[in-house]
């Protein structure tokens, strides 16, 4: 099973870039890497995902190493509202021939605290 | 605000009660999911519906019974729950295409007394 490893907690100063690392050394060639975050008492919020290439959207950038064994989520200018638990996830195929039935393999996440 | 709506937001029920959790999305997504989340833990997958058919059941006890009446609605029927079933129950949906991300609701906070 593909799994992810993240530091349990990180701190970041408001206005600075937050770089959140994730190891997924057993990832398969056709598995995507997803990042979600969860603010207290809310549902997980999708941030970004990628397969091989680096990706950027309005929320963040995702840098995936060439060997795909690790990735980094970058929040370019962290704000207090970015304080949350950030989950790095890979998607596991669970049933051959069942189309796109896959389950997300969640790690324990990184609790990011953005400080004023 | 999310595009996946869950009701109720909070629910307290006794062990002999029957209740239902509801989830609705109007994004045209064809896959819908139920997750359970305990405090300080990541979400755990319970059920997946793909094109209104149950495609994954993660060995969930029969006191939890999912239902997908149509592609926009997902229910979770609860009966004879235990106090350890108290948790945040999250609904999610996705296009169902390869690589498509999940969109989550804000969950129902369930307390079993």
């Amino acid at each position: 099973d593909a799994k992810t490893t993240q530091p349990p907690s990180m701190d970041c100063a408001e206005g600075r870039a937050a770089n959140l690392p994730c190891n997924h050394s057993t990832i398969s060639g056709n598995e995507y890497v997803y990042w979600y975050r969860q603010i207290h008492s809310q549902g997980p919020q999708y941030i970004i995902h990628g397969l091989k290439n680096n990706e950027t959207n309005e929320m963040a950038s995702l840098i995936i190493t060439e060997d795909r064994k690790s990735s980094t989520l970058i929040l370019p200018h962290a704000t207090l509202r970015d304080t949350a638990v950030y989950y790095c996830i890979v998607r596991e195929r669970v049933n051959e021939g069942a189309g796109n039935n896959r389950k997300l393999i969640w790690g324990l996440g990184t609790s990011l605290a953005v400080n004023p | 605000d999310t595009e996946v709506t869950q009701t109720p937001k909070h629910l307290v029920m006794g062990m002999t009660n029957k209740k239902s959790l509801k989830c609705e999305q109007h994004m045209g997504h064809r896959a819908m999911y139920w997750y359970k989340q305990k405090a300080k833990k990541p979400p755990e997958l319970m059920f997946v519906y793909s094109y209104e058919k149950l495609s994954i059941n993660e060995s969930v006890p029969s006191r939890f019974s999912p239902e997908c009446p149509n592609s926009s609605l997902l229910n979770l029927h609860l009966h004879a729950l235990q106090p350890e079933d108290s948790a945040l129950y999250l609904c999610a949906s996705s296009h169902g295409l390869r690589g498509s991300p999940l969109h989550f609701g804000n969950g129902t906070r369930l307390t079993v007394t």
Side-chain angles (χ1 to χ4, degrees), chain A residues 18-90:
Chain A
N19 297 292
L20 291 91
C22 179
N23 288 323
H24 32 79
S25 58
T26 59
I27 193 170
S28 299
N30 62 350
E31 287 180 331
Y32 286 82
V33 179
Y34 298 81
W35 283 84
Y36 286 78
R37 72 181 183 184
Q38 190 170 21
I39 296 169
H40 182 61
S41 296
Q42 296 182 18
Q45 177 189 22
Y46 165 75
I47 301 173
I48 198 167
H49 74 288
L51 184 62
K52 295 180 182 178
N53 300 322
N54 298 336
E55 303 288 344
T56 295
N57 63 21
E58 64 278 5
M59 290 182 68
S61 294
L62 174 60
I63 308 298
I64 302 174
T65 58
E66 194 169 340
D67 63 8
R68 301 188 72 240
K69 292 186 177 182
S70 65
S71 61
T72 301
L73 179 75
I74 301 173
L75 307 178
H77 305 287
T79 70
L80 298 179
R81 282 186 279 188
D82 292 321
T83 293
V85 177
Y86 287 76
Y87 292 102
C88 168
I89 300 159
V90 296

Side-chain angles (χ1 to χ4, degrees), chain B:
Chain B
D1 289 348
T2 73
E3 295 172 337
V4 176
T5 304
Q6 291 188 244
T7 55
K9 287 185 170 57
H10 301 274
L11 178 63
V12 179
M13 61 185 290
M15 289 188 284
T16 58
N17 291 158
K18 287 185 180 181
K19 296 286 185 183
S20 296
L21 308 185
K22 298 186 182 300
C23 175
E24 189 169 2
Q25 58 87 14
H26 294 288
M27 294 179 281
H29 290 174
R30 304 315 299 261
M32 297 187 76
Y33 309 75
W34 279 115
Y35 280 82
K36 173 183 177 180
Q37 186 175 28
K38 302 285 274 184
K40 300 189 186 301
K41 299 286 188 182
E44 298 173 36
L45 182 65
M46 299 175 72
F47 303 103
V48 180
Y49 273 83
S50 178
Y51 290 83
E52 301 167 39
K53 292 185 179 178
L54 184 65
S55 60
I56 295 178
N57 177 341
E58 288 287 282
S59 302
V60 179
S62 60
R63 58 186 184 269
F64 296 91
S65 176
E67 178 194 21
C68 189
N70 59 56
S71 59
S72 300
L73 296 174
L74 186 66
N75 299 321
L76 186 63
H77 303 298
L78 314 173
H79 174 55
L81 295 193
Q82 303 297 310
E84 58 264 29
D85 296 320
S86 298
L88 180 68
Y89 288 84
L90 294 161
C91 173
S93 68
S94 71
H95 281 293
L97 301 175
R98 179 171 179 263
S100 58
L102 273 62
H103 297 261
F104 284 84
N106 281 328
T108 294
R109 176 74 60 186
L110 175 67
T111 302
V112 182
T113 60

